């Protein structure tokens, strides 16, 4: 009791020091005919999260199309020829998903390096080649090898690419971008500058549910050197440090267009924050118009409508929002945190975009920031973090593998599955029936506080806010039905390639309100 009174927690101490345990390596391989999935499930059991994504085949060339157009790589699919200006149009040429920038990061002895850029035909969406960059032996040297279907090493190179993509998305898109960067930044900004009864902080509450404790657990168990995360990846300690240091340069969904816009920071910032504008830009100028992008755009528009309807209840005009000093400080600080955690100006200095912006510009910034955050912690996190189908089978994807072998070891299978189980704490679902246990409109009960003044009736949810939530849920339900129809058609016996793959990462019924770990 005395120890507890002093604030010492034994379980906490153990959690924060687990990374100090020595790393042991077991090289036991799977025997011919031995099923890695069965091996994992017999040992992890019900602790492993439900697998919703369906891969009827995992190792075929066709499965690569599913992976990159409909699955884990769908948010990293671009045209191979890059844009040089915001007015240029690239509407032809191969599609590509790139991971070669991982190739130079050092890995532990006996393991193969990451890397591989997969190119797909612009018409058929079939895989054409994988260009694999080899680790540099000298800073001035750079060597790439091209592999095509039928080449002797083709199956191995496909495995290397799948595993590299899995590792890239987990480290950069999931751990760094969703959790440590955007998740942290929004919580910090809202806690620092939005009072507990401010309507915007109330609005964010379900989308920030347990984010602080989740990210604290991630720091202890996934980020710290020698913790569960680094032990899963192939990197040496130096390689892990280098990966973290360049992570912000390789986050997708807008940052890759920084050089395209040059000095036009305002237009670039809009694309980074307004996912809808980003998808439309990719379609018009970048030649990317896939089912994944269409579904994510539909979900974005549903969320933005909800955000704008909510804001309009408390700020009928943009000028009234601009007079709220807490909102202005929140927006400024959130952008500052994002700029501080990126390199090479990937997020412009907020001083030029918030301090002197007009009321209408501030409204758009606020609306886009809130929608971007809500989208990222729901569908964005589902895309990059809910990946049990990939972590379950080290013959499909492995965080690390012996050089030259198309399968991870038994130890890798267990550590990957353990990591997946650990990072799948269930969170409240985004979809809920009015009046049910999942209905979170009680968070909007009055009074709220704007500029120090109480607004709204005590204990009552404003009718317009309730209506906004009900409409939001109805639109999610309608989209869920459309997603079901899409998947049913894709999985039907008469579905033709490449439209024979379902998508579950944008299905509203599967989305949770906040990040989990």
């Amino acid at each position: 009791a005395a120890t507890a009174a002093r604030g010492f927690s034994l379980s906490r101490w153990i959690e924060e020091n687990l990374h100090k345990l020595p790393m042991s390596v077991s090289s036991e391989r799977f025997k011919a005919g031995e099923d890695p999935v069965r091996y994992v499930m017999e040992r992890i059991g019900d602790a492993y999260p439900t697998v919703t994504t369906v891969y009827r085949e995992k190792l075929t060339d066709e499965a690569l199309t599913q992976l990159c157009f409909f699955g884990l790589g769908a948010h990293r699919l671009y045209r191979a020829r890059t844009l040089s200006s915001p007015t240029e149009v690239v509407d032809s040429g191969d599609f590509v998903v790139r991971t070669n920038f991982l190739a130079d990061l050092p890995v532990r002895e006996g393991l193969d390096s990451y890397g591989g850029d997969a190119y797909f035909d612009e018409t058929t969406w079939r895989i054409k080649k994988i260009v694999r960059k080899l680790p540099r032996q000298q800073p001035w040297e750079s060597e790439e090898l091209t592999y095509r279907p039928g080449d002797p090493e083709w199956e191995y190179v496909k495995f290397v690419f799948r595993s590299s993509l899995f590792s890239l998305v987990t480290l950069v898109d999931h751990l760094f971008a969703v959790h440590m960067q955007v998740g942290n930044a929004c919580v910090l900004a809202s806690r620092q500058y939005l009072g507990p009864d401010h309507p915007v902080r109330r609005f964010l509450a379900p989308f920030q549910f347990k984010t602080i404790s989740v990210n604290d657990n991630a720091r202890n168990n996934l980020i710290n050197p020698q913790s569960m995360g680094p032990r899963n990846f192939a990197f040496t300690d130096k390689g892990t440090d280098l990966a973290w240091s360049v992570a912000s340069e390789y986050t997708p969904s807008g940052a890759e267009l920084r050089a395209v816009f040059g000095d036009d920071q305002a237009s670039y910032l809009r694309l980074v924050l307004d996912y809808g504008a980003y998808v439309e830009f990719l379609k018009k100028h970048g030649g990317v118009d896939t089912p994944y992008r269409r579904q994510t755009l539909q979900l974005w528009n549903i969320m933005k409508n909800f955000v704008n309807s909510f804001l309009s209840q408390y700020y009928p005009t943009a000028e009234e929002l601009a007079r709220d000093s807490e909102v202005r400080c929140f927006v400024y600080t959130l952008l500052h945190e994002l700029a501080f955690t990126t390199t090479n100006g990937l997020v412009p200095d907020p001083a030029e975009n918030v301090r002197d912006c007009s009321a209408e510009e501030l409204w758009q910034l606020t609306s886009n920031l809130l929608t971007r955050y809500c989208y990222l912690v729901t569908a964005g996190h589902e895309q990059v973090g809910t990946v049990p189908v990939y972590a379950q089978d080290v013959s499909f994807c492995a965080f690390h593998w012996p050089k030259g072998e198309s399968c991870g070891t038994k130890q890798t299978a267990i550590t990957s599955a353990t990591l997946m189980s650990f990072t799948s704490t269930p969170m409240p679902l985004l979809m809920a029936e009015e009046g049910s246990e999942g209905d979170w409109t009680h968070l909007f009960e009055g009074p709220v506080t704007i500029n120090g003044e109480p607004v709204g009736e005590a204990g009552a949810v404003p009718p317009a806010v309730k209506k906004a939530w009900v409409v939001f849920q109805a639109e999610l339900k309608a989209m869920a039905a459309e997603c079901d129809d899409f998947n049913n058609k894709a999985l039907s016996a008469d579905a033709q390639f490449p439209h024979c793959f379902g998508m579950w990462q944008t299905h509203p019924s599967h989305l949770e309100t906040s990040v989990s770990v």
Side-chain angles (χ1 to χ4, degrees):
T3 302
R6 289 195 299 268
F8 177 79
S9 168
L10 179 61
S11 61
R12 175 77 176 182
W13 181 87
I14 292 174
E15 180 184 358
E16 292 185 345
N17 287 276
L18 279 173
H19 67 279
K20 297 178 181 178
L21 293 173
M23 180 183 290
S24 61
V25 177
S26 170
S27 58
E28 183 179 1
R29 270 65 161 179
F30 285 98
K31 297 180 177 66
E34 194 172 5
D35 183 2
V37 174
R38 182 176 179 180
Y39 178 84
V40 163
M41 297 308 294
E42 286 178 348
R43 287 153 181 82
I44 304 297
D46 292 340
Y48 200 80
T50 302
V51 177
T52 55
T53 302
V54 176
Y55 274 86
R56 289 179 286 193
E57 298 174 327
K58 295 179 180 177
L59 309 184
T60 63
D61 290 2
E62 289 75 15
L64 269 186
T65 298
Q66 178 176 2
L67 179 73
C68 293
F69 282 80
F70 300 86
L72 189 64
H75 65 293
R76 284 186 166 272
L77 182 82
Y78 303 102
R79 292 282 184 174
R81 184 165 69 89
T82 57
L83 293 166
S84 58
S85 76
T87 58
E88 184 183 8
V89 175
V90 176
D91 56 2
S92 63
D94 292 343
F95 292 100
V96 65
V97 174
R98 304 182 189 275
T99 71
N100 265 335
F101 44 83
L102 297 175
D104 289 324
L105 301 179
V107 299
R108 299 194 296 274
E109 186 177 355
L111 303 179
D112 206 351
S113 59
Y114 297 109
D117 293 348
Y119 291 80
F120 297 84
D121 183 87
E122 65 173 315
T123 304
T124 66
W125 293 5
R126 290 187 180 276
I127 184 70
K128 292 178 65 176
K129 63 183 178 180
I130 295 176
V131 178
R132 190 181 181 198
K133 181 180 179 182
L134 301 182
R136 297 173 190 262
Q137 301 303 313
Q138 298 293 340
W140 57 85
E141 294 179 351
S142 181
E143 182 180 3
E144 292 181 343
L145 298 177
T146 299
Y147 302 87
R148 291 182 169 83
D151 286 350
E153 295 184 72
W154 179 242
E155 293 303 320
Y156 178 66
V157 172
K158 284 197 299 180
F159 171 75
V160 171
F161 168 75
R162 294 193 304 263
S163 300
S164 299
L165 178 63
F166 183 37
S167 301
L168 167 66
V169 170
T170 300
L171 181 70
V172 174
D173 305 347
H174 182 204
L175 281 176
F176 173 76
V178 176
H179 282 276
M180 310 317 295
Q181 186 187 43
V182 180
N184 272 349
C186 193
V187 169
L188 281 170
S190 62
R191 290 294 183 98
Q192 286 177 322
Y193 290 104
L194 299 175
D197 290 327
H198 193 281
V200 172
R201 183 160 165 184
R202 295 272 195 91
F203 177 85
L204 286 171
F207 300 99
Q208 294 183 340
F209 181 69
K210 288 189 176 293
T211 296
I212 294 174
S213 61
V214 160
N215 284 354
D216 182 52
N217 286 335
R219 175 184 65 86
N220 288 329
N221 297 289
L222 304 177
I223 308 298
N224 276 339
Q226 300 295 316
S227 64
M228 191 187 306
R231 288 173 191 246
N232 266 280
F233 298 117
F235 301 122
T236 61
D237 290 345
K238 180 181 179 181
T240 301
D241 290 343
L242 288 171
W244 285 122
S245 70
V246 300
S248 66
E249 297 183 36
Y250 296 108
T251 54
S253 298
E256 76 280 0
L257 297 173
R258 182 68 187 94
V260 175
F261 282 85
D263 295 330
D264 187 1
Q265 290 194 0
S267 297
Y268 166 69
L269 183 63
R270 178 169 178 258
L271 283 193
V272 170
L273 300 181
D274 187 342
Y275 181 78
Y278 171 71
V279 173
E280 293 293 352
F281 181 87
L282 282 185
K283 179 180 178 180
K284 181 179 180 180
H285 295 275
V288 178
D289 181 24
T290 60
Y292 172 76
R293 291 297 185 189
R294 291 177 216 138
Q295 285 194 10
T296 57
L297 179 60
Q298 181 181 1
L299 186 61
W300 166 269
N301 288 332
I302 291 171
M303 288 188 166
K304 192 165 186 179
N305 181 48
F306 180 41
V307 168
N308 285 337
S309 297
F310 181 87
L311 288 176
S312 297
Q313 164 64 24
Y314 298 101
Y315 308 100
T317 66
E319 287 72 23
E320 291 183 59
L321 178 71
R323 287 194 289 270
D324 189 333
S325 58
E326 290 180 71
V327 167
R328 188 176 287 272
C329 287
F330 164 73
V331 171
Y332 182 97
T333 303
L334 179 50
L335 285 175
H336 174 76
E337 290 288 340
L338 294 176
F340 181 75
T341 53
T342 57
T343 56
N344 300 331
L346 293 176
V347 175
D349 188 331
E352 299 181 18
N353 297 285
V354 179
R355 184 180 58 199
D356 301 319
C357 70
S358 67
E360 183 58 37
E361 289 170 336
L362 181 64
W363 176 281
Q364 291 301 324
L365 272 175
T366 305
S367 172
N368 284 330
L369 274 169
L370 292 176
T371 310
R372 196 76 172 94
Y373 179 78
C374 295
Y375 174 85
L376 191 67
V377 301
T378 55
H381 186 266
E382 189 77 12
Q383 166 70 9
V384 302
T386 306
V387 290
V389 70
Y390 307 102
Q392 189 184 37
D393 188 351
V394 290
S395 67
F396 182 30
C397 303
F399 283 131
H400 67 264
W401 62 97
K403 190 171 184 177
E405 299 182 20
S406 300
C407 185
T409 63
K410 288 186 174 182
Q411 183 186 51
T412 304
I414 294 300
T415 56
S416 300
T418 302
L419 178 68
M420 188 70 249
S421 302
F422 178 77
T423 57
S424 300
T425 306
M427 293 291 168
L429 292 174
L430 184 65
M431 285 182 62
E433 294 291 337
E434 183 179 1
S436 70
E437 188 179 53
D439 184 338
W440 74 78
T441 54
H442 62 278
L443 295 169
F444 310 139
E445 292 178 357
V448 297
T449 304
I450 300 177
N451 285 327
E453 298 295 328
V455 176
E457 181 183 346
V461 178
V465 173
K466 185 73 171 183
K467 180 181 178 181
W469 186 87
V470 170
V471 170
F472 175 59
Q473 292 297 327
E475 291 178 343
L476 289 176
K477 188 174 182 179
M479 181 177 174
E482 293 178 24
C483 290
D484 285 335
D485 184 59
F486 177 91
N487 289 340
N488 289 336
K489 289 179 180 177
L491 298 179
S492 65
D494 58 349
Q496 299 297 309
F497 181 90
H499 304 291
C500 54
F501 307 114
M503 288 191 296
W504 292 264
Q505 65 271 44
T506 52
H507 196 305
S509 296
H510 299 307
L511 302 183
E512 297 174 327
T513 60
S514 59
V515 295
S516 61
V517 70

